[in-house]
């Protein structure tokens, strides 16, 4: 199927949908120039495997290496801008009564694009917390230490993200699961669908009777189960989808697509 042709049946379902849930992964930010997790890394960090850096064990072993990797990623994201895929989801939020945007990304690009209801399942690259006590920390004394130390207990500071083996924030997971149960349409966009518990969400939605739509240039373990598979980049498919569903609506020409 031509991925740019959005199935008519999906267009019809979206026009009348009142509750939609969207799960995004690193692929939605790929067209902003933010590297995905499991595709080949480039430059300085090409010889490191991200899966091996995003763990508490890696941080215990070499806190400086892990802190510097996150500092490098912060810089990449600061230089990036949201892309047409992020903006199309902002438009979707404006058009549908309830849209829950659940992201595994820590880059903050959905909020920068203007999405309001964003659940960040894996934390945020720009927040910091104490490694020992899990306490959020906003300011710390200037020093040459890398990583810097917690001003309250003296332990190392770390990024406020969820590493392998760590629990997701219970409140975020609850909201995400509830959105998957109640959604009429569930989108899985730009994620390899490998990392749990996020990877369960589309299956929860399917079990509850939702239409499940995957947008990804590559197949994933979820692909055989979905109702609609749109094989292509999110930054191309999502604006086309929005245009086909609401293109004749008043004000669409003002959207940043
Ligand atoms: C495009 C595109 C374009 C490219 N347009 N698309 C059940 C079974 C088995 C294991 C487990 C299980 N439950 C829990 C586990 C263990 C573990 C897990 O899932 N392991 C699996 C790898 C097997 N999960 C956990 O440990 C989680 N914690 C937990 O469950 O706690 C309870 C518990 C503890 C201990 C034991 C058991 C239970 C925590 C998971 C935290 C994940 N953290 C990371 C790092 C966050 C911080 C950071 O960013 O540094 O989150 S890992 C990494 O993977 C990151 C991502 O959010 C996440 C998902 O990756 P994503 O987004 O899918 O990216 P990619 O790169 O994989 O895929 C990109 C996709 O985009 C590709 O498909 C491309 O084709 C596509 N694409 N261009 C559209 N233009």
């Amino acid at each position: 199927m031509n991925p740019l042709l959005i199935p008519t049946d999906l267009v019809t379902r979206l026009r009348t949908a009142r509750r939609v849930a969207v799960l995004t992964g690193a692929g939605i930010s790929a067209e902003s120039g933010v590297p995905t997790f499991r595709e080949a890394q480039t430059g300085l960090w090409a010889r490191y495997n991200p899966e091996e850096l995003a763990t508490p064990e890696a941080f215990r072993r070499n806190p400086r290496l892990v802190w510097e990797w996150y500092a490098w990623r912060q810089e990449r994201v600061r230089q990036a801008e949201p892309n047409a895929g992020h903006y199309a989801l902002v438009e979707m939020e404006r058009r549908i009564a309830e849209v829950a945007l659940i992201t595994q990304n820590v880059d903050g690009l959905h909020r920068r694009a203007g999405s309001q209801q964003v659940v960040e399942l894996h934390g945020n690259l720009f927040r910091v917390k104490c490694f020992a006590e899990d306490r959020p920390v906003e300011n710390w004394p200037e020093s040459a230490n890398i990583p810097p130390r917690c001003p309250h207990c003296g332990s190392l500071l770390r990024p406020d993200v969820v590493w392998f083996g760590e629990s997701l924030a219970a409140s975020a997971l609850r909201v995400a699961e509830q959105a998957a149960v109640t959604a009429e349409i569930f989108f899985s966009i730009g994620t390899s669908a490998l990392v749990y518990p996020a990877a369960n969400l589309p299956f929860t939605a399917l079990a509850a009777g939702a239409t499940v739509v995957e947008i990804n240039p590559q197949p994933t373990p979820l692909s055989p189960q979905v109702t609609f598979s749109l094989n292509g980049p999110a930054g191309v498919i999502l604006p086309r989808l929005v245009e086909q569903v609401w293109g004749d609506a008043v004000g669409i020409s003002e959207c940043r697509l």
Side-chain angles (χ1 to χ4, degrees):
M1 185 186 71
N2 178 349
L4 293 186
L5 285 179
I6 309 298
T8 316
D9 191 15
L10 174 57
V11 171
T12 311
R13 291 186 205 193
L14 262 171
R15 281 202 180 122
T16 54
R18 297 193 53 75
R19 280 185 307 280
V20 168
V22 181
L23 172 68
T24 64
I28 196 162
S29 297
E31 290 154 86
S32 295
V34 180
T36 63
F37 234 79
R38 288 173 185 79
E39 291 165 297
Q41 306 292 299
T42 52
L44 191 59
W45 294 93
R47 66 199 170 92
Y48 294 95
N49 177 353
E51 293 207 38
E52 285 165 16
L53 292 174
T55 70
E57 293 74 27
F59 188 75
R60 276 193 201 94
R61 209 166 36 237
N62 193 340
R64 184 183 183 113
L65 178 78
V66 174
W67 180 271
E68 286 182 337
W69 181 53
Y70 279 94
W72 172 77
R73 288 176 57 201
Q74 274 187 357
E75 203 39 49
R76 291 284 300 246
V77 171
R78 275 200 192 94
Q79 288 167 14
E81 295 294 336
N83 65 55
H86 296 105
Y87 288 119
L89 292 176
V90 177
E91 191 56 33
M92 194 184 280
E93 192 179 53
R94 289 192 187 128
R95 307 261 161 201
I96 295 176
E98 277 179 48
V99 175
L101 178 45
I102 305 152
T103 188
Q104 297 168 84
N105 299 345
V106 297
D107 58 27
L109 288 178
H110 285 302
R111 284 190 212 276
R112 270 171 62 190
S115 286
Q116 307 283 317
Q117 301 296 326
V118 185
V119 179
E120 291 178 322
L121 279 183
H122 293 163
N124 190 293
L125 191 52
F126 296 97
R127 287 196 312 255
V128 165
K129 65 181 183 178
C130 169
F131 186 60
E133 297 181 341
D134 228 32
R135 179 204 305 239
V137 172
E138 284 183 8
N139 302 297
W140 52 89
E142 191 85 17
S143 96
N145 293 337
I146 300 177
R149 293 204 168 258
C150 174
H152 307 286
C153 74
S155 158
L156 295 177
L157 294 179
R158 57 162 282 183
D160 188 359
V161 298
V162 183
W163 283 330
F164 284 113
E166 296 183 325
S167 298
L168 282 66
S171 55
L173 190 55
R174 208 169 28 245
V175 171
E177 282 168 346
Q178 183 63 20
V181 167
T182 57
E184 295 154 58
I185 305 182
F186 186 101
F187 285 89
S188 177
I189 304 173
T191 173
S192 55
L194 291 171
V195 174
Y196 289 83
N200 265 333
L201 294 169
F203 291 98
T204 302
L206 273 172
T211 297
V212 175
V213 186
E214 182 174 59
I215 301 178
N216 197 316
Q218 302 296 331
T220 74
L222 172 67
S223 308
Q225 311 291 327
V226 300
T227 326
F228 297 105
S229 191
L230 306 179
N231 308 117
V236 174
I237 292 189
L238 278 169
R240 178 58 61 97
L241 179 81
V242 166
E243 187 189 311
Q244 291 198 11
V245 177
W246 297 287
D248 53 352
V250 178
I252 193 81
S253 58
E254 292 164 20
C255 309
R256 298 180 62 185
L257 298 180

